[in-house]
Amino acid sequence: MYHLRNITSNIKACLFDLDGVLVDTAIYHYQAWKRLANTMNFDFAEEQNEQLKGVSRMESLTKILAWGNITKTEREKMELAALKNSWYVEMISKMTPNEVLPGTVEFLTAITKAGYKLALGSASKNSSLILERTNLTHFFHEIVDGNSVNKSKPDPEVFIKGAELLNVSAKECVVFEDAVAGIEAAKAGGMKAIGIGKKNILVHADLVVSGLDKLTIEDLERL
Ligand code: B16
Ligand code: MG
């Protein structure tokens, strides 16, 4: 049985989204964006925050300004994004390894031991700080994030770059993602995708689980 699984397994590399897969920084993004909206005298609900997951900083700001029916110049938008980021960085600077999502360390340890190559594929420009604070940096052979890509998810650039750096083909990669745009990016790049979240939302994923604590090496070998 074990022998058979090994023959059929094509996956050599695992590409991980950060926010919502390894750690839950969405709450900090929400608090910082909410504070920014409040300075402009409007508010938005936590449900609306769902639409910001996996979306880049500037695209998030554009959505939020539209909710508040507010128009700003490009220069003002840059200033607002920088202000939000300063509040966000203040919060993530205090993160600890306890904030890593359940099963993450165990799963990353298991796939590392099994010989898979690991890369990060995140939209965040703050990924290095988050990985450092949560003690996850050492797991990753390569880090691709908002600082090294030009196009955001659902464009596959972030994952294609990860595959190139790991020296594997797209077909040999599986992407772990919590955002619809991230699953679309993986599929557009010709990769397998494991959705972290709900089946009725991440409809294009090859497999959906509620968290890394629900995954085993056998699940990867069966993809
Ligand atoms: P930053 P991921 C994404 O991270 C977040 O889900 C999204 O809410 C955020 O706007 C984006 O990073 C940019 O983050 O402002 O830190 O550059 O899910 O792609 O790991
Ligand atoms: Mg995410």
Side-chain angles (χ1 to χ4, degrees):
M1 186 63 180
Y2 182 72
H3 185 59
L4 186 69
R5 273 207 303 264
N6 259 354
I7 291 171
T8 54
S9 174
N10 296 315
I11 302 300
K12 288 192 178 145
C14 299
L15 310 181
F16 289 88
D17 174 51
L18 179 61
D19 180 24
V21 173
L22 307 176
V23 292
D24 201 357
T25 41
I27 183 69
Y28 300 128
H29 279 298
Y30 174 56
Q31 285 170 6
W33 283 128
K34 193 176 163 72
R35 186 170 167 190
L36 190 77
N38 292 168
T39 65
M40 293 179 276
N41 300 317
F42 74 98
D43 207 357
F44 64 93
E46 196 157 2
E47 298 81 66
Q48 283 168 288
N49 191 55
E50 285 300 310
Q51 296 177 41
L52 307 179
K53 289 188 177 173
V55 176
S56 75
R57 195 181 307 166
M58 291 313 288
E59 284 172 55
S60 302
L61 178 62
T62 302
K63 278 179 192 263
I64 291 164
L65 290 175
W67 294 336
N69 213 6
I70 285 174
T71 311
K72 294 281 180 192
T73 64
E74 279 313 301
R75 194 201 164 102
E76 285 168 332
K77 280 195 198 173
M78 297 298 284
E79 286 166 4
L80 288 169
L83 185 58
K84 177 266 173 180
N85 192 53
S86 68
W87 294 330
Y88 176 69
V89 169
E90 205 178 297
M91 290 188 276
I92 58 170
S93 300
K94 293 178 198 143
M95 283 181 87
T96 71
N98 288 339
E99 288 176 73
V100 170
L101 287 170
T104 299
V105 172
E106 292 80 355
F107 186 68
L108 297 184
T109 304
I111 58 175
T112 301
K113 278 191 187 148
Y116 290 92
K117 296 181 182 177
L118 276 69
L120 192 82
S122 166
S124 177
K125 293 186 171 172
N126 296 300
S127 71
S128 297
L129 174 60
I130 297 168
L131 291 178
E132 226 171 83
R133 292 295 314 162
T134 54
N135 211 10
L136 292 176
T137 314
H138 65 99
F139 283 111
F140 296 95
H141 301 109
E142 299 291 344
I143 289 175
V144 187
D145 67 9
N147 297 300
S148 42
V149 293
N150 298 313
K151 299 176 210 139
S152 18
K153 301 165 191 176
D155 189 283
E157 185 185 4
V158 68
F159 297 130
I160 288 176
K161 220 167 184 170
E164 277 170 8
L165 288 169
L166 292 177
N167 211 10
V168 292
S169 71
K171 274 194 277 182
E172 293 169 326
C173 294
V174 56
V175 168
F176 298 77
E177 257 291 350
D178 70 313
V180 173
I183 299 287
E184 280 173 26
K187 291 281 123 191
M191 299 171 182
K192 296 278 184 196
I194 296 186
I196 306 295
K198 297 197 173 118
K199 265 188 194 159
N200 59 330
I201 294 175
L202 305 173
V203 287
H204 294 122
D206 296 288
L207 169 71
V208 180
V209 289
S210 60
L212 294 181
D213 55 339
K214 299 291 185 305
L215 277 176
T216 62
I217 298 257
E218 285 73 23
D219 292 321
L220 299 191
E221 292 170 348
R222 272 194 292 265
L223 281 173

